[in-house]
Amino acid sequence: NTIEFENIPVFDDNQTITCIIHSLTEKIISKPKHVESELALLKNNIHGPYVIIDTNLQITSFNQQFVTQAREYFGFDVRAGASILDLAQPESRETTAEKYKYVLQGNKVQNKGEIKTKEGTIIQLSISNNPIFNEVAEVIGVFVTILDITEQAELEKKQKEQEADFKALIENTP
């Protein structure tokens, strides 16, 4: 939105300015319908939960998958304007803040980690943090995607165990 300021002279019958009307008007800039529908398509079809945070670490946007995951795993209700650090586990808030500071300098960070849900279940997550740049290449936020990779991690662990068992069997066969 922009503010437009106008000075409008008022003339009498002799074409003399009798007063000036000052007008201050807020111009609301709306997105074209196709842009809004494209944004909605993106928001609803990005693979996995995502959240967008600004340079103050405030949540500005998210998809329904993120809302569902935050509620299911942690009992959090996500809302725009809240600090992303409120969603971090207390013992990791400081390192999380440092990570976002690094990303806001234009760096990408991808990591995997374990977290404990509100029920006490340990889950594996893959978290990707990417800087968001504006049209003049300034970092204006962070795009965070979060994938639950618990099942994949368990399969990889089971495969390694089976490989080790098979190797031991081969090595111990006369």
Side-chain angles (χ1 to χ4, degrees), residues 65-79 86-89 93 115-121 123:
Q65 293 173 50
F66 183 78
V67 171
T68 301
Q69 192 176 67
R71 189 174 297 131
E72 180 182 320
Y73 291 165
F74 311 111
F76 293 132
D77 286 322
V78 180
R79 64 178 175 75
D86 292 344
L87 301 180
Q89 295 192 343
R93 284 190 180 138
I115 58 165
K116 188 184 288 190
T117 67
K118 65 182 181 180
E119 284 93 23
T121 306
I123 58 171

Side-chain angles (χ1 to χ4, degrees), residues 1 5 15 18 27 57 77 80 83 92 102 114 124 133:
N1 297 347
F5 184 76
Q15 296 302 313
T18 58
K27 299 247 181 191
L57 306 184
D77 286 322
S83 172
S92 66
Y102 181 72
E114 289 184 349
Q124 302 281 327
F133 298 94

Side-chain angles (χ1 to χ4, degrees), residues 13-125:
D13 293 336
N14 298 327
Q15 296 302 313
T16 305
I17 296 175
T18 58
C19 68
I20 297 177
I21 298 173
H22 301 286
S23 170
L24 191 63
T25 307
E26 180 178 14
K27 299 247 181 191
I28 298 173
I29 301 169
S30 62
K31 296 175 188 145
K33 289 280 185 208
H34 74 279
V35 172
E36 287 185 19
S37 64
E38 286 176 9
L39 290 174
L41 283 171
L42 283 172
K43 191 173 188 176
N44 294 323
N45 289 290
I46 289 178
H47 177 67
Y50 79 84
V51 61
I52 296 174
I53 59 175
D54 65 16
T55 56
N56 296 315
L57 306 184
Q58 303 298 303
I59 297 170
T60 60
S61 183
F62 45 86
N63 64 359
Q64 186 57 45
Q65 293 173 50
F66 183 78
V67 171
T68 301
Q69 192 176 67
R71 189 174 297 131
E72 180 182 320
Y73 291 165
F74 311 111
F76 293 132
D77 286 322
V78 180
R79 64 178 175 75
S83 172
I84 193 69
L85 297 178
D86 292 344
L87 301 180
Q89 295 192 343
E91 63 275 8
S92 66
R93 284 190 180 138
E94 189 175 321
T95 55
T96 300
E98 288 299 316
K99 173 183 63 180
Y100 287 127
K101 183 178 176 184
Y102 181 72
V103 176
L104 287 168
Q105 293 171 351
N107 304 294
K108 294 180 182 180
V109 174
Q110 293 187 340
N111 57 312
K112 294 180 181 180
E114 289 184 349
I115 58 165
K116 188 184 288 190
T117 67
K118 65 182 181 180
E119 284 93 23
T121 306
I122 301 293
I123 58 171
Q124 302 281 327
L125 294 179

